[in-house]
């Protein structure tokens, strides 16, 4: 009996189903090389599982898939963080068909759920990082280890951060008060604050919880879950965010799986009134349970929440 190995992957953005088995590999050999390459590259970009599979199929598919295997990484446990750290610590890896391959250069999107000191090491080695999703304590680890001090040089040098592009940061748990950084000399702050242009909170602020975004001197886009009590009446924390000069988009997230229909309607009604005075205010509905899934889709080339919020807000205003 002939052994048939099958791999199935669904690529959500373009809505296609890719099925590969042993016989299919022979059939694919008759296709134009450019077409096969395009299919595999798109599949590897949209699915880490498929990228792993292609790395095991043949030398040429491994050479093709390796960059996409490392471009978007989601780590749930400390053990996974340790494994990635050990891999990145090896530096350049030999990959037949590609020559020397440096995984550190490929990481663009990093989701880390657990809190440990390895977060700083992974951040340091991910030199082309674009998106970072971490608990607030992990972000503070990076801040503290890149803050200049009189006695000791920081673990993360200023140049190791300033040489990077803009960062899109998602906080995976409750936000903390950053007012302690607001009054300090900007020169004495971590340069990380200058790199965060996009910032998202995954949880709502606690009642009367203060928040200051002043340390994020280049922050242009901010998003957070919204409750009716946050905007009706408008809280001081929300006013402070709306009045920040650098903010061009403040997105109110409505979690459909955590918000009743009655509260949703009340939030949208309050939003329409407030947005008449604050043009930067936008709104977007999503599911809290899909947070990681939506983040990964965006990281792999899907539409960003900022674009979604812009389109959704325009639709809401047209209906009103």
């Amino acid at each position: 009996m002939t052994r048939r190995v099958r791999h199935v992957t669904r690529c959500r953005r373009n809505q296609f189903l890719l099925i590969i088995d042993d016989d299919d590999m022979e059939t694919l050999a008759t296709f134009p090389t450019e077409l096969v390459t395009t299919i595999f590259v798109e599949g590897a970009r949209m699915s880490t599982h498929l990228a792993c599979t292609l790395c095991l199929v043949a030398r040429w598919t491994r050479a093709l898939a390796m960059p996409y295997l490392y471009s978007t990484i989601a780590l749930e446990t400390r053990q996974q963080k340790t494994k990635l750290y050990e891999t990145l610590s090896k530096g350049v890896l030999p990959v037949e068909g590609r020559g020397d391959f440096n995984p550190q250069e490929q990481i663009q999107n990093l989701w880390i759920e657990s809190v440990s000191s390895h977060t700083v090491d992974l951040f340091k080695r991910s030199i082309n990082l674009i998106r970072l999703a971490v608990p607030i304590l992990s972000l503070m680890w990076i801040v503290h280890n890149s803050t200049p001090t009189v006695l000791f040089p920081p673990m993360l040098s200023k140049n190791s951060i300033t040489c990077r592009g803009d960062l899109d940061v998602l906080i995976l748990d409750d936000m903390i008060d950053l007012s302690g950084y607001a009054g300090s000399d900007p020169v004495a702050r971590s340069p990380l604050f200058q790199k965060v242009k996009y910032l998202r909170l995954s949880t709502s602020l606690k009642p009367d919880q203060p928040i200051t975004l002043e340390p994020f001197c280049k922050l242009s886009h901010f998003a957070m879950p919204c409750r009716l009590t946050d905007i009706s009446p408008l809280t001081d924390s929300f006013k402070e965010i709306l009045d920040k000069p650098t903010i061009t988009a403040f997105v109110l997230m409505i979690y459909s799986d955590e918000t009743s229909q009655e509260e949703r309607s009340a939030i949208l009604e309050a939003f329409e009134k407030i947005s008449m005075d604050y043009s930067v205010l936008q709104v977007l509905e999503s599911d809290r349970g899909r947070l990681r899934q939506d983040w990964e889709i965006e990281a792999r080339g899907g539409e960003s929440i900022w674009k979604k919020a812009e389109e959704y807000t325009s639709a809401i205003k047209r209906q009103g």
Side-chain angles (χ1 to χ4, degrees):
M1 183 173 65
T2 303
R3 182 176 65 91
R4 295 177 64 85
V5 178
R6 173 165 291 191
H7 173 80
V8 180
T9 184
R10 297 182 182 275
C11 294
R12 183 175 298 274
R13 185 165 67 99
N14 293 320
Q15 296 295 316
F16 68 83
L17 179 66
L18 181 63
I19 303 177
I20 305 172
D21 59 28
D22 289 344
D23 292 342
D24 290 333
M25 292 303 294
E26 296 181 6
T27 303
L28 283 172
T30 66
F31 288 6
T33 303
E34 295 81 3
L35 177 59
V36 175
T37 300
T38 299
I39 292 173
F40 283 174
V41 164
E42 179 69 6
R45 184 176 62 82
M46 296 298 292
S47 168
T48 299
H49 190 183
L50 179 56
C52 288
T53 300
L54 291 175
C55 286
L56 301 174
V57 171
R59 291 186 181 92
W60 71 272
T61 56
R62 182 171 186 258
L64 196 70
M66 281 290 280
Y68 301 98
L69 181 64
Y70 284 93
S71 63
T72 299
I73 298 177
L75 306 173
E76 298 177 356
T77 66
R78 291 191 178 187
Q79 289 78 9
Q80 291 173 336
K81 288 174 67 175
T82 301
K83 287 289 186 182
L84 179 60
Y85 171 72
E86 292 172 351
T87 299
L88 297 184
S89 297
K90 296 176 182 177
V92 175
L93 304 175
V95 176
E96 188 170 343
R98 293 194 67 92
D100 290 339
F101 175 80
N102 189 349
Q104 298 183 23
E105 297 177 350
Q106 306 301 324
I107 299 175
Q108 296 182 331
N109 311 290
L110 194 54
W111 173 291
I112 306 176
E113 293 185 17
S114 64
V115 178
S116 77
S117 59
H118 273 330
T119 298
V120 179
D121 299 315
L122 295 178
F123 178 83
K124 182 178 182 179
R125 286 168 169 76
S126 304
I127 56 179
N128 292 317
L129 195 65
I130 297 173
R131 292 180 183 82
L132 177 66
V134 290
I136 187 62
L137 289 181
S138 291
L139 184 65
M140 289 298 97
W141 268 93
I142 299 173
V143 168
H144 290 313
N145 281 278
S146 58
T147 300
T149 62
V150 176
L151 298 178
F152 304 102
M155 177 180 175
L156 297 170
S157 68
K158 181 178 181 180
N159 288 340
S160 71
I161 294 181
T162 56
C163 68
R164 300 167 183 258
D166 295 329
L167 270 177
D168 185 320
V169 175
L170 168 62
I171 305 299
L172 297 178
D173 55 1
D174 293 341
M175 185 63 169
I176 63 174
D177 183 16
L178 299 176
S179 58
Y181 296 93
S184 61
D185 182 355
V187 178
R189 291 179 191 164
S190 165
L192 181 71
F193 286 121
Q194 300 177 30
K195 285 299 177 180
V196 179
K197 188 175 182 180
Y198 307 90
L199 180 63
R200 297 172 53 191
L201 308 186
S202 62
T203 61
S204 304
L205 295 177
K206 295 180 174 62
D208 300 322
Q209 178 183 351
I211 182 172
T212 177
L213 301 179
E214 195 270 336
F216 298 96
C217 56
K218 294 185 179 179
L219 186 68
S220 63
H221 292 65
F222 179 76
M224 64 176 294
C226 176
R227 298 167 301 193
L228 182 58
T229 53
D230 293 324
I231 60 173
S232 182
L234 194 63
T235 63
D236 291 338
S237 294
F238 273 52
K239 288 179 182 178
E240 181 178 343
I241 298 169
L242 287 166
D243 290 334
K244 184 174 174 62
T246 60
I247 292 291
T248 60
F250 177 11
V251 180
L252 304 177
M253 305 292 297
I254 302 176
Y255 286 146
S256 302
D257 52 345
E258 296 182 355
T259 307
S260 66
Q261 187 61 35
E262 182 181 358
E263 184 176 11
R264 172 191 174 275
S265 299
I267 290 174
L268 291 177
E269 182 179 348
F271 161 77
E272 290 188 51
K273 295 178 181 178
I274 298 171
S275 61
M276 296 176 65
D277 298 321
Y278 295 97
S279 59
V280 300
L281 197 62
Q282 298 177 353
V283 66
L284 179 65
E285 287 192 71
S286 66
D287 287 349
R288 178 69 172 84
R290 285 177 49 91
L291 183 65
R292 173 175 161 180
Q293 186 176 352
D294 289 343
W295 181 90
E296 288 200 47
I297 291 173
E298 179 179 339
R300 298 179 190 279
E303 196 171 44
S304 71
I305 70 156
W306 315 110
K307 182 63 176 177
K308 290 179 181 178
E310 184 179 330
E311 294 172 350
Y312 187 86
T313 300
S314 297
I316 290 292
K317 289 184 177 180
R318 284 196 300 270
Q319 293 175 6

